[in-house]
Amino acid sequence: MKTRQIIYRAAAALLAAVLFTAAAALGVLDGADGTVSDALYQRASGTDGEIVIIGMDQRSIDALGPMPWPRDVMADAIAYLNSDPDACPAVIGIDVLYVGESGDPWADEYLTEVCGEYGNVVVASMATFGSSIVESGDDFYVDRRSVLAMDEPFEALAAVTDTGHINTMADSDGVIRHAMLWVNAPEGPLRAMSRVIYERWCTFSGVTPNPDPPTTGEGFFYLPFTAGPGSYCDGVSVVDLIDGEIDPDYFAGKIVLIGPYTAGMQDEYRTAIDHAAPMYGIEILANQIDAYRAGNIPRQVNRTFQLAVLFIVSALAAAFFFDRKMSHSVPAWLGICAAWLLACWLGRRGGWVLHVLWVPLFVTVLFIVSVAVNYIRASRERRRVTDTFGRYVDPAIMKELLERGGDALE
């Protein structure tokens, strides 16, 4: 091979690798990659019944009126769940914000009294995020995910309950794939309500909590969903507790979650387990708790490392496909794609998450482009040979020249 061809091939391969790596780094493929990765990584499994969702659903709204309900409604529900001292729930998580005192001091006092009496209630807090100027030494920078305010339970309720944040943030394509273990509240890091509930359940059950999942610098971790929409709810409604329709023993020793469970309450999300059917926030909370319980939360492989791998694979594939016969290119293309998918599958089983789409997509693009370029070059070469020798050379020799290409002319 001539030196000029070697240089041309190397330059083309490096340029292709740079372009593909830049596209991945800029997030051009994040949505499509997320969809493909969800299909490979997220698998619903059966729940074990340890977590029960009690819905603030349409039946409850029809019976109790539109929300927000008076706070004594939730107090009555909590009291009913704990009505048998020998069969209380392990922990009751209330996915409702009780910020500030209401216009009914008696209801506030009653809710506080009930939560304090049983001591197994966790209530919600929520951070409001925004941009703020942060001073670092002599420099300043803009923190675009700064906690500007916290909605927390009113003081008397906070004194007799535990609390955790219920913030949820979707990826750029609007799909929930990550959870937040903590947020940087003004008073210090505030852990997720799901984690607080899980640790309360561990204390009740006498088990050692699994370690915290690995997080990014902003507290995010990859969430392996256990179950899809509707899997945690047995159709129990808050009104069933108020009317005494469910035996409280049914909830003995369990994690009970109470929260919005009907359309129109701005608490529905698209999630990695099912892009089509929306999932209520209380169900995402349940999936987080089950992820802690399972203790097999995977870690995402460093993005910079994956970009480096993509660059190397793209450069090598581009150089290999250049001027290569189909009998060699096709097995190489299929082999690279299959090897990467296998690596992703094995990595997930080993507790690591890779970008599934990056390598197969870009290698496929390189393969298609190389086939097109090689075809064009071969056609031009045949035309050149035919124009040069077609009138003077025996047809058999002409056929050999065309099959051998330019090498036969040198």
Side-chain angles (χ1 to χ4, degrees):
M1 184 183 298
K2 296 180 180 179
T3 302
R4 184 175 63 180
Q5 289 180 311
I6 295 175
I7 295 174
Y8 170 74
R9 177 182 294 190
L14 290 175
L15 177 61
V18 167
L19 292 175
F20 291 160
T21 304
L26 293 173
V28 174
L29 295 176
D30 282 357
D33 176 72
T35 299
V36 175
S37 297
D38 293 342
L40 180 64
Y41 294 143
Q42 298 285 358
R43 287 287 183 272
S45 58
T47 61
D48 61 2
E50 196 69 27
I51 300 175
V52 178
I53 287 178
I54 299 175
M56 300 169 69
D57 57 7
Q58 193 59 49
R59 281 203 300 126
S60 295
I61 294 173
D62 293 341
L64 302 173
M67 288 188 276
W69 295 326
R71 292 176 177 176
D72 59 295
V73 171
M74 190 60 69
D76 285 341
I78 294 170
Y80 184 77
L81 289 169
N82 288 291
S83 57
D84 184 349
D86 298 322
C88 294
V91 56
I92 303 171
I94 311 297
D95 188 14
V96 178
L97 293 171
Y98 291 116
V99 181
E101 297 174 348
S102 71
D104 186 345
W106 175 84
D108 292 349
E109 183 178 347
Y110 178 38
L111 177 61
T112 301
E113 178 184 344
V114 168
C115 291
E117 178 180 354
Y118 299 111
N120 60 350
V121 178
V122 178
V123 293
S125 296
M126 177 175 282
T128 298
F129 293 93
S131 299
S132 65
I133 304 297
V134 178
E135 182 178 357
S136 179
D138 296 331
D139 298 325
F140 297 87
Y141 68 93
V142 177
D143 182 358
R144 301 189 182 279
R145 197 169 284 165
S146 177
V147 176
L148 303 182
M150 286 295 303
D151 290 330
E152 298 177 296
F154 62 93
E155 186 175 351
L157 184 62
V160 296
T161 60
D162 289 333
T163 187
H165 78 82
I166 54 172
N167 289 86
T168 301
M169 287 192 182
D171 286 4
S172 58
D173 60 350
V175 176
I176 302 292
R177 296 186 182 89
H178 301 83
M180 301 177 68
L181 184 62
W182 46 264
V183 297
N184 280 319
E187 297 80 12
L190 178 64
R191 289 163 74 78
M193 182 180 180
S194 57
R195 186 70 190 186
V196 175
I197 292 172
Y198 164 68
E199 292 181 354
R200 288 288 298 268
W201 173 81
C202 289
T203 300
F204 178 91
S205 303
V207 300
T208 302
N210 290 316
D212 286 352
T215 64
T216 66
E218 296 176 320
F220 289 96
F221 64 91
Y222 184 84
L223 176 59
F225 284 82
T226 300
S231 299
Y232 289 97
C233 187
D234 293 332
V236 181
S237 172
V238 170
V239 72
D240 293 327
L241 304 184
I242 303 301
D243 294 341
E245 297 292 336
I246 303 293
D247 188 340
D249 289 355
Y250 172 74
F251 306 101
K254 296 183 179 180
I255 299 170
V256 176
L257 305 178
I258 304 176
Y261 206 82
T262 187
M265 298 185 68
Q266 299 182 339
D267 196 37
E268 297 174 273
Y269 307 88
R270 292 170 59 221
T271 60
I273 194 69
D274 190 336
H275 289 201
M279 179 179 287
Y280 295 113
I282 195 75
E283 296 175 303
I284 297 176
L285 185 69
N287 271 284
Q288 292 178 28
I289 296 170
D290 259 344
Y292 300 136
R293 292 176 61 217
N296 61 348
I297 299 175
R299 175 177 299 191
Q300 289 184 292
V301 176
N302 181 272
R303 188 178 178 91
T304 301
F305 174 79
Q306 293 190 73
L307 289 171
V309 172
L310 174 63
F311 178 86
I312 294 170
V313 172
S314 297
L316 293 176
F320 179 85
F321 290 144
F322 182 85
D323 200 22
R324 191 75 57 173
K325 292 182 179 181
M326 290 286 287
S327 59
H328 296 156
S329 295
V330 171
W333 163 55
L334 294 176
I336 294 171
C337 293
W340 184 257
L341 293 176
L342 179 61
C344 291
W345 183 75
L346 291 175
R348 176 63 181 85
R349 290 177 63 87
W352 294 92
V353 174
L354 293 161
H355 289 284
V356 176
L357 186 63
W358 283 5
V359 169
L361 176 62
F362 289 134
V363 169
T364 299
V365 170
L366 287 170
F367 171 74
I368 294 172
V369 170
S370 69
V371 169
V373 170
N374 291 341
Y375 177 80
I376 293 171
R377 291 179 66 253
S379 298
R380 291 176 60 186
E381 189 68 22
R382 288 190 183 94
R383 191 179 306 113
R384 183 173 70 88
V385 172
T386 301
D387 291 345
T388 303
F389 300 103
R391 297 180 181 180
Y392 312 105
V393 179
D394 181 270
I397 298 176
M398 186 69 183
K399 181 180 179 181
E400 182 180 354
L401 290 173
L402 291 174
E403 290 177 350
R404 294 174 59 188
D407 292 342
L409 304 177
E410 297 177 356

